[in-house]
């Protein structure tokens, strides 16, 4: 078992470069199977989820070459193979194989996803979209069976602005007959990234990034080259870590516009922020104001930064209230932070956080962002060594975390038991 060992108390200093976005990459890789020829993805993050996705595509018969931050996917010889088990079970986002396979083959059998299960995460809106396009969907022994004689464009209203459902419907609709309109679509930057790739492949998608997306179906898509957007959650995590350690860090290769909600909250706390074209400098201060934060769908404060933000708010003076309106119970980091001496209680969808010093402890990451929160907490503690287990979750979303933190001056290392 691997764990992260952290001796904190050192202000992070220097520059960190952000990799491509995980939540884009794991939608763009399956999107590539809709093409008839090679798709090249640049700025790919080096993550375990990406490795699992390349395994899934290879299982289907695609040729995948992955070197550094570039992946070449040649889907010309892929076949429609049922995937009720195997690597699809390791990933939450394997649900994108449903939309991609349905778009390409009009059929798919995909095992229900694994991944970060911090609370039940339904996919009813994905299924509703596929059915509206003309597919039948059944759940047989934990695998979703999808089949359509043909996919026909239609109007689909999402009951919740789901990132996954919006992307999945775009994937299936890209090769449907006629026009599909998604209403109440999610507006996250990763959706624009997927639409950009599909359009480069010859799709006709308009309105991505707004709540109405129109997809004009085409019969065939071709290969292309695409560079993945920077990971706004990874960027936000380093911004928060820089502030929590009262450091001075330049976060490079970011789109500052994607970080607006976090920047606003950090400034409200009294943290110095300098914005440049493709980078952001975070300047820590000796003390921080408490703030209230509401995690919402984009462009609101990202739920994926809610757990890291909890750790930062333990460093503020007074009581902060952090509420999550995307997930009602994404608080698995809280009991672990309490183990480190944090004064936090959860009431309904909110964590009530009273600022104060943390202590080193042995803690366990129960999901990806909870893990990031514990690492940040460990970085603030100057006495003793914080041990974080559950590293496999953290590896799902943070490319080169340990080496990046070490370059910023942190005393962090991996230890295998
Ligand atoms: N929801 C439904 N029905 C559905 C789909 C979603 O009720 O069919 C609900 C969910 O339960 C949740 C809300 O809608 O309350 C939003 O869920 P969404 O579908 O937008 O989430 P997702 O697509 O499953 C992606 C990211 C998550 C991120 C959320 C919200 C990927 C692979 N995952 O999940 O990222 O938290 O959007 O922004 O893109 C992470 O990176 O740590 C992570 C969990």
């Amino acid at each position: 078992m691997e764990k992260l060992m952290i001796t904190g108390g050192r202000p992070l200093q220097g520059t960190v470069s952000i990799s491509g976005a995980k939540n884009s990459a794991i939608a763009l890789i399956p999107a590539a199977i809709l093409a008839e020829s090679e798709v090249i993805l640049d700025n790919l993050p080096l993550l375990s989820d990406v490795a699992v996705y390349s395994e899934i595509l290879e299982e289907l018969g695609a040729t995948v070459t992955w070197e550094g931050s570039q992946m070449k996917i040649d889907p010309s010889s892929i076949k429609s193979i049922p995937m009720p088990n195997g690597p699809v079970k390791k990933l939450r986002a394997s649900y994108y194989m449903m939309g991609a396979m349905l778009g390409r083959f009009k059929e798919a059998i995909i095992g229900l996803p694994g991944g970060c299960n911090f609370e039940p995460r339904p996919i009813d809106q994905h299924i509703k979209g596929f059915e509206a396009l003309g597919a039948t969907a059944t759940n047989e022994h934990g695998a979703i069976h999808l089949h359509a004689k043909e996919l026909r464009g239609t109007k689909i209203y999402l009951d919740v602005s789901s990132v996954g459902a919006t992307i999945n419907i775009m994937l299936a609709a890209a090769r449907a007959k006629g026009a599909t309109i998604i209403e109440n679509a999610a507006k996250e930057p990763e959706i624009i990234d997927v639409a950009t790739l599909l359009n480069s492949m010859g799709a006709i998608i308009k309105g991505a990034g707004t709540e109405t997306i129109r997809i004009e179906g085409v019969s065939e898509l071709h290969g292309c080259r695409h560079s993945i957007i920077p990971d706004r959650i990874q960027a936000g995590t380093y911004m928060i870590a820089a502030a929590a350690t009262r450091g001075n860090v330049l976060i490079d290769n970011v789109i500052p516009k994607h970080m607006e909600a976090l920047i606003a909250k950090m400034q409200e706390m009294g943290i110095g922020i300098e914005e440049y074209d493709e980078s952001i400098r975070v300047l820590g201060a000796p003390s921080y104001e408490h703030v209230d934060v509401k995690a919402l769908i984009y462009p609101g404060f990202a739920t994926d930064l809610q757990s890291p933000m909890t750790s930062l708010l333990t460093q503020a003076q007074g009581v902060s209230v952090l509420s999550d309106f995307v997930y009602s119970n994404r608080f698995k980091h809280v009991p672990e932070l309490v183990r480190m001496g944090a004064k936090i209680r959860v009431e309904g969808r909110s964590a009530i956080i009273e600022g104060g010093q943390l202590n080193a402890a042995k803690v366990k990451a129960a999901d990806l962002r909870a893990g990031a929160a514990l690492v940040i907490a460990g970085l603030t503690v100057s006495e003793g060594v914080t041990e974080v287990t559950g590293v496999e979750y953290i590896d799902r979303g943070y490319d080169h975390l340990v080496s990046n933190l070490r370059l910023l001056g942190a005393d962090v290392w991996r230890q295998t038991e």
Side-chain angles (χ1 to χ4, degrees), residues 22-24 26-27 49 92-96 116 118-127 160-167 186 188 190 232-233 296-298 302-304 325-328 330 349 367-369 396-398:
K22 163 182 99 71
N23 288 345
S24 270
I26 56 184
D49 276 11
R92 161 104 189 130
S94 54
Y95 53 45
Y96 290 134
C116 273
F118 40 81
E119 69 171 49
R121 294 166 70 189
I123 56 164
D124 57 296
Q125 298 302 303
H126 306 228
I127 303 293
V160 285
S161 301
S162 154
V163 174
T166 303
I167 292 177
E188 272 67 2
E190 292 73 23
R232 64 196 166 96
I233 306 302
L296 298 164
I297 56 175
Y298 189 82
T303 169
D304 295 340
F325 291 100
V326 179
Y327 296 109
S328 57
R330 193 177 194 178
R349 314 187 77 114
D367 64 66
L368 164 59
R369 307 303 171 189
R396 292 190 42 226
Y398 292 95

Side-chain angles (χ1 to χ4, degrees), residues 250-271:
L250 186 73
I251 289 100
D252 200 16
N253 186 34
V254 292
I255 299 176
K257 175 91 186 139
H258 293 170
M259 311 307 303
E260 275 179 350
L262 175 63
I263 289 173
K265 281 295 151 188
M266 291 180 86
Q267 285 174 329
E268 218 178 299
M269 290 177 71
I271 297 160

